[in-house]
Amino acid sequence: MKRNAVAWSTVVSLLAVLPGRVASAHAGLPETSNIAIRRGHPRDFFVGTTFGAVISRDNGQSWRWVCPDAMGYGGWRPEAYLWRETGDILAATGSALLHSPDEGCTWRAHPFFKPTWVTGLAGHPTDDRVFYAVTGRPGLANGVYRSDDGGETWTATPLLRAGLELNAVRVSPVDPRRVYASGVSNNQMVLLRSDDAGATWQEFPHAMPELLRPYALTVVALDPVDEDVVWTRVSAQGYTHLHRSDDGGRTLTQVSVLDDTFINMDLSSDGATAWVGTLNYFFLGPSAGPLEKQPLPTGNACVLRDGETLYGCGSTWLHDWALARSTDQGRTWQHIFALYEIQGTQLCPRGTPVRDLCPSRWPQLAEQLGAPLYPDGGVEEPPPPFDAGTADAGTPDAGTPDAGPQLPDEPPAPPKSSGCGASPGAPVPVLWLLSTLLPWRRRPRRPHLG
């Protein structure tokens, strides 16, 4: 019997009666939320979750946990991670720019961006050293920044001014000189475009008078074959309105209206097919629309295309997997892993935040997930020495802090409403109640193809 024996409507009904912050959508249930694949290493996965992150170095055969305390991102979870070929991992949290130089063992908040908020991050499609970041803290000058050394140092582009609050940035896979950003300029929603790698910018306001109080215009995807085709989303009255521009952002045409909270989207290699993940559903259709709701995945349904393979995250509580792959454009899915298959904490050297902080937190999480307490017969094996041949970045240098990072002036609430963040603290009451409905069983890992 699968663990999704109880309909999600029953789960939602249960959560709705719980008090306070745990009664929101997903109510702090452990979930996956985004997927990153290491550039040039298709067997290496880094999956963001509502309880930190999990990492696999063997094509999904085994998974290890990186606890949020060691990452130090506070209440703002990254919407996505970027994993460089060198082994460095970067992420924008909406507050800080996080950087791990050693594949997830040590994390720090980049001091350059204090006190502003880093709200978006994008990498160059072919140059592993080039990144763009945007900021969006109200009351400060915000703009677009560029790094040419893998995120170590940053320089402001000419797009930097007061009254501007940006929320996302994307680099065209067709022409890397084409960069798009989005946000608000003097209380007006805008889409911005550079054709020369950030040296100059054009600004296109979008009022959308047909919508009632629209907000959060965000660039969400760029076409893989045409640099002038860009997708945005905007929220209005509880719906996500997905728009497409075929003229480089000057005009927007509505493609689809989704009755759920947007998580992310991706496009097929020819740009003809679009996939959208939302808080509860997964949508598929032609890129010109309309998009149709699919039966799987459900629950925190994020999506990532790598070559011709599609990866999707979803809810273990609903369909017994948290990450799956599809080779038929999202029509059928093959299990990669479920949350109860996590095998303990990431194996890191002593003195790193993950090694010092995460093991003591694992038993409680393992109990919640129904995971084995330790990977080998109940005995916790000591981590092996850090292997520089496996992790190209090597051991962190003396300039890397050996404790969790302190975030710069963490704001009281995120700038976006995703509805799927984990509430602070362990969600023991929710999971205890669910345990009376869901058939918890510790099962052996099902075999997967390497």
Side-chain angles (χ1 to χ4, degrees):
M1 182 193 305
K2 291 187 176 182
R3 296 183 175 215
N4 57 326
V6 178
W8 185 234
S9 59
T10 303
V11 177
V12 171
S13 298
L14 170 63
L15 300 179
V17 303
L18 297 176
R21 56 194 172 192
V22 298
S24 61
H26 291 239
L29 283 174
E31 303 273 17
T32 48
S33 55
N34 54 69
I35 313 159
I37 298 176
R38 182 180 175 188
R39 188 191 291 254
H41 296 262
R43 294 171 58 84
D44 294 355
F45 295 90
F46 193 87
V47 177
T49 71
T50 57
F51 53 95
V54 291
I55 186 169
S56 174
R57 305 299 304 278
D58 54 12
N59 203 35
Q61 296 298 303
S62 62
W63 293 86
R64 294 280 178 167
W65 179 49
V66 180
C67 61
D69 312 63
M71 301 171 76
Y73 58 67
W76 284 19
R77 290 184 293 107
E79 289 188 344
Y81 295 85
L82 298 177
W83 197 353
R84 298 183 62 207
E85 187 169 9
T86 61
D88 295 56
I89 303 173
L90 292 89
T93 71
S95 175
L97 176 68
L98 295 185
H99 174 220
S100 171
D102 54 5
E103 300 181 339
C105 289
T106 302
W107 297 82
R108 70 184 179 100
H110 202 297
F112 175 82
F113 290 102
K114 189 175 181 177
T116 190
W117 298 343
V118 184
T119 52
L121 179 69
H124 191 284
T126 57
D127 191 335
D128 201 30
R129 301 165 299 175
V130 178
F131 289 88
Y132 293 86
V134 295
T135 62
R137 184 166 187 171
L140 298 180
N142 295 293
V144 180
Y145 297 80
R146 175 178 166 127
S147 174
D148 293 300
D149 56 8
E152 288 296 326
T153 61
W154 294 86
T155 304
T157 73
L159 183 60
L160 179 66
R161 65 173 187 264
L164 181 67
E165 299 169 22
L166 300 178
N167 56 26
V169 61
R170 294 286 187 275
V171 184
S172 170
V174 183
D175 179 4
R177 296 171 299 175
R178 176 68 64 88
V179 182
Y180 291 90
S182 58
V184 174
S185 178
N186 296 317
N187 298 316
Q188 186 174 39
M189 296 187 301
V190 293
L191 187 62
L192 305 109
R193 190 186 86 201
S194 174
D195 299 330
D196 49 17
T200 61
W201 293 86
Q202 300 178 65
E203 189 168 323
F204 308 117
H206 293 284
M208 299 186 183
E210 70 278 10
L211 301 179
L212 181 61
R213 293 190 294 274
Y215 65 95
L217 174 68
T218 307
V219 54
V220 293
L222 302 185
D223 194 273
V225 295
D226 188 342
E227 66 270 23
D228 284 330
V229 179
V230 54
W231 277 261
T232 66
R233 58 96 169 170
V234 66
S235 299
Q237 294 185 296
Y239 290 85
T240 294
H241 297 260
L242 188 65
H243 293 82
R244 167 177 168 151
S245 174
D246 292 286
D247 55 9
R250 287 183 174 85
T251 60
L252 298 175
T253 301
Q254 184 164 282
V255 171
S256 195
V257 180
L258 311 178
D259 59 344
D260 203 5
T261 301
F262 181 94
I263 292 181
N264 78 328
M265 74 172 290
D266 212 333
L267 300 161
S268 59
S269 57
D270 61 2
T273 301
W275 304 282
V276 174
T278 70
L279 181 60
N280 295 289
Y281 304 111
F282 179 75
F283 295 85
L284 162 67
S287 58
L291 305 181
E292 296 183 356
K293 190 180 299 182
Q294 304 299 304
L296 289 176
T298 53
N300 274 39
C302 70
V303 61
L304 173 72
R305 178 182 63 83
D306 184 54
E308 297 305 316
T309 301
L310 195 66
Y311 295 93
C313 55
S315 178
T316 293
W317 320 106
L318 301 182
H319 44 56
D320 207 42
W321 51 258
L323 181 67
R325 64 169 55 90
S326 174
T327 55
D328 59 4
Q329 296 200 329
R331 292 176 177 84
T332 62
W333 297 87
Q334 297 82 48
H335 174 117
I336 296 179
F337 96 102
L339 296 183
Y340 56 84
E341 296 175 313
I342 300 173
Q343 295 171 290
T345 60
Q346 167 74 327
L347 302 180
C348 293
R350 295 185 184 277
T352 61
V354 170
R355 181 65 181 91
D356 292 346
L357 297 174
C358 300
S360 64
R361 291 154 172 78
W362 170 246
Q364 183 181 31
L365 180 63
E367 182 68 22
Q368 294 169 8
L369 301 179
L373 189 59
Y374 299 122
D376 299 308
V379 178
E380 182 181 17
E381 298 291 342
F386 194 75
D387 184 356
T390 300
D392 300 336
T395 303
D397 60 29
T400 303
D402 58 2
Q406 298 297 314
L407 294 188
D409 300 333
E410 180 114 3
K416 52 190 177 296
S417 176
S418 66
C420 57
S423 57
V428 174
V430 176
L431 294 177
W432 181 84
L433 289 171
L434 286 177
S435 69
T436 65
L437 299 175
L438 298 174
W440 294 81
R441 291 187 298 160
R442 293 186 181 180
R443 301 186 294 183
R445 277 183 57 85
R446 55 177 82 183
H448 308 307
L449 297 178

